[in-house]
Amino acid sequence: YYSAVVSGIKKFEYRRFDRDFKIGDYLLLKEYDPHKEEYTGRDYLCHITYILQVYDRHNMLYAILSIEH
């Protein structure tokens, strides 16, 4: 997913709404290598431009965060 964000193809993040995300906040995304089970050292700073809150079937709150570089 990291490469898709950096290339500009993926312009959103979907995650549990377990933090107080706000429009205007910044996210520091870190690249993770699942084969090595470690972070690569590459990161990407993006800006939250829109937040859509969504509940799943178990009533857990998630957020679709619209992001840009």
Side-chain angles (χ1 to χ4, degrees):
Y1 302 115
Y2 180 85
S3 319
V5 171
V6 172
S7 71
I9 295 170
K10 183 175 179 268
K11 299 180 183 199
F12 66 92
E13 280 293 308
Y14 178 74
R15 53 181 63 207
R16 285 192 57 193
F17 199 28
D18 58 354
R19 298 183 184 116
D20 191 22
F21 295 115
K22 291 187 174 57
I23 294 172
D25 284 351
Y26 288 90
L27 291 177
L28 181 62
L29 303 176
K30 296 183 176 192
E31 183 180 39
Y32 185 77
D33 185 336
H35 302 293
K36 294 181 179 179
E37 298 183 348
E38 64 186 20
Y39 289 97
T40 66
R42 293 175 56 193
D43 56 34
Y44 186 80
L45 187 64
C46 53
H47 182 239
I48 298 174
T49 59
Y50 184 79
I51 300 172
L52 176 63
Q53 295 179 13
V54 181
Y55 287 93
D56 71 1
R57 63 183 179 166
H58 304 291
N59 215 27
M60 295 288 298
L61 183 58
Y62 286 81
I64 299 172
L65 307 172
S66 179
I67 57 173
E68 65 181 21
H69 183 63

